[in-house]
Amino acid sequence: MGTKHQAETMEHEEHLKLLAKTAGGDEQAFARLYEATSPQLYAICLKMLRRKEWAEDATQDAYVKIWHNAGEYRSGLGTVLTWMVSIARYRSLDMLRFYKVRNEQDIDDSIILQHDDLLDLSSADKKQLHFCIDELEDSQKQAIHLAFYCGLSHQEVTTHMDAPLGSTKSLIRRGLQLLKRCLGI
């Protein structure tokens, strides 16, 4: 376990150096960062979007954003790779919403909601989380899935569920309180 942690630390330090150089406009450092991280980002985009061409577009868009925002990374908020993954994930979610709104492909919520594997949890923690989520009312479950798994804003959840904003916020708040109690947090 210690060796894995050491490898992750070394990887993070290397990514951090490359990102800092990228923030300074170093294209070679950005190319090395891309080479080191693109397989992970592409895999996440592909898993979320389920179409190769969309995943390629989302990955490319994510790296454009990473290039332009490299100087905004803050180490206290996670590793460089975690930061980059979140950019790719949000870009993928944006694309899912775009294609859903445009009706260019019938994307149902079951596809959008299947991303708990992106959470950094042990399998036992995931089982407990699923158990606790299953204990929620259907409307709370749906609101929490949309807000936290799909990354929708409260307003977007409200629109999706065709419910008043105050009700949506209450569903999410009460659902999170129940989850915390169930998880012992």
Side-chain angles (χ1 to χ4, degrees):
M1 189 72 149
T3 306
K4 181 181 177 190
H5 179 70
Q6 287 173 329
E8 289 171 354
T9 300
M10 288 174 49
E11 179 182 76
H12 171 67
E13 289 173 4
E14 181 62 23
H15 292 164
L16 191 57
K17 287 176 191 171
L18 293 172
L19 189 65
K21 288 180 180 179
T22 297
D26 185 332
E27 293 177 13
Q28 289 180 343
F30 182 66
R32 290 198 324 267
L33 183 64
Y34 175 87
E35 189 176 299
T37 59
S38 61
Q40 293 100 322
L41 269 60
Y42 175 75
I44 287 167
C45 293
L46 184 60
K47 185 163 186 74
M48 293 179 71
L49 296 167
R50 301 184 188 255
R51 289 187 62 172
K52 184 179 177 189
E53 59 275 9
W54 291 1
E56 289 168 352
D57 288 346
T59 303
Q60 180 179 350
D61 290 351
Y63 278 100
V64 169
K65 187 163 185 154
I66 290 164
W67 170 259
H68 290 292
N69 297 302
E72 295 180 18
Y73 168 75
R74 300 292 170 256
S75 61
L77 301 176
T79 67
V80 171
L81 186 58
T82 300
W83 177 73
M84 293 173 70
V85 164
S86 70
I87 291 171
R89 184 175 173 273
Y90 283 114
R91 181 61 195 125
S92 296
L93 289 169
D94 288 343
M95 288 182 77
L96 282 173
R97 286 187 209 112
F98 172 80
Y99 287 115
K100 187 171 184 176
V101 168
R102 299 275 188 257
N103 291 322
E104 292 184 17
Q105 179 177 350
D106 186 23
I107 300 174
D108 68 28
D109 289 339
S110 64
I111 292 172
I112 297 173
L113 300 177
Q114 294 173 0
H115 302 298
D116 68 327
D117 57 319
L118 298 177
L119 297 173
D120 190 21
L121 299 173
S122 70
S123 61
D125 289 340
K126 284 182 184 178
K127 283 182 183 178
Q128 181 64 26
L129 178 61
H130 282 279
F131 171 80
C132 292
I133 288 173
D134 286 341
E135 296 295 308
L136 298 175
E137 295 174 16
D138 287 343
S139 57
Q140 289 172 327
K141 193 183 309 183
Q142 183 183 19
I144 289 173
H145 271 295
L146 292 169
F148 294 96
Y149 284 82
C150 300
L152 300 183
S153 69
H154 284 121
Q155 186 60 52
E156 290 169 322
V157 173
T158 295
T159 301
H160 185 86
M161 294 180 66
D162 194 26
L165 181 60
S167 298
T168 299
K169 288 180 177 182
S170 293
L171 282 172
I172 293 170
R173 186 179 61 253
R174 284 193 315 266
L176 289 175
Q177 288 169 344
L178 291 170
L179 281 176
K180 283 181 178 181
R181 269 188 249 133
C182 181
L183 294 168
I185 298 173

